[in-house]
Amino acid sequence: MVSGRGRRRRWSGSGPDDRDPQPFGRIVSRVSMDRGWSPRLTDATVIGRWPQLVGPDVSDHCTPVSLRDGELTLQAESTAWATQLRTLQRQLLTRLAAAVGPNVVRRIRVVAPSGPSWRHGPRHVRGRGPRDTYG
């Protein structure tokens, strides 16, 4: 397979090639890196795998609300659990760093449960609303 000039020819054949079928995970990983989606996928991993990352004891009593700029917001089911999560904050950060990588979650903000809201939708008008027309 050597031509007259001493260079080796490149044949497509039994060797690996870019045209060969690739595992799906490798393709998704490459596309996410090319398009800059990797940080968002890592954030989604934290929220999607929450019970596996922190365990059933913690995940039964709190819900991850958002992860933006390294700040994970958790909503506790009670004020007692909000206090408990604040004391467990350092241990949770260590677990999350071991599972998804360092600097994905840099701080945790715990919010207590809130009362019901009468607002429906993203827009709101100040005042008494429809109740002010009756009297």
Side-chain angles (χ1 to χ4, degrees), residues 9 11 21 34 66 97 102-103 118:
R9 286 174 139 179
W11 298 93
D34 292 345
S66 67
N103 294 329
W118 296 104

Side-chain angles (χ1 to χ4, degrees), residues 2-43:
V2 176
S3 65
R5 288 172 267 168
R7 292 186 325 178
R8 186 175 175 105
R9 286 174 139 179
R10 297 192 57 93
W11 298 93
S12 64
S14 62
D17 192 3
D18 290 337
R19 298 173 294 172
D20 291 340
Q22 301 290 322
F24 186 70
R26 186 179 304 158
I27 292 172
V28 169
S29 175
R30 187 180 310 153
V31 168
S32 69
M33 291 294 280
D34 292 345
R35 298 194 181 195
W37 295 343
S38 292
R40 300 286 297 165
L41 290 175
T42 306
D43 295 353

Side-chain angles (χ1 to χ4, degrees), residues 90-113:
R90 187 175 307 272
Q91 294 167 356
L92 291 175
L93 286 172
T94 304
R95 273 192 201 176
L96 292 172
V100 295
N103 294 329
V104 173
V105 179
R106 291 187 297 272
R107 57 191 172 275
I108 295 176
R109 185 172 68 110
V110 180
V111 292

Side-chain angles (χ1 to χ4, degrees), residues 8-88:
R8 186 175 175 105
R9 286 174 139 179
R10 297 192 57 93
W11 298 93
S12 64
S14 62
D17 192 3
D18 290 337
R19 298 173 294 172
D20 291 340
Q22 301 290 322
F24 186 70
R26 186 179 304 158
I27 292 172
V28 169
S29 175
R30 187 180 310 153
V31 168
S32 69
M33 291 294 280
D34 292 345
R35 298 194 181 195
W37 295 343
S38 292
R40 300 286 297 165
L41 290 175
T42 306
D43 295 353
T45 300
V46 171
I47 293 173
R49 292 183 44 212
W50 181 248
Q52 293 88 17
L53 295 175
V54 297
D57 296 336
V58 175
S59 68
D60 289 344
H61 301 287
C62 70
T63 306
V65 177
S66 67
L67 177 58
R68 289 192 182 100
D69 299 326
E71 182 179 69
L72 176 65
T73 304
L74 300 176
Q75 183 168 19
E77 70 174 10
S78 67
T79 55
W81 265 100
T83 304
Q84 181 69 19
L85 289 170
R86 287 183 187 107
T87 60
L88 291 173

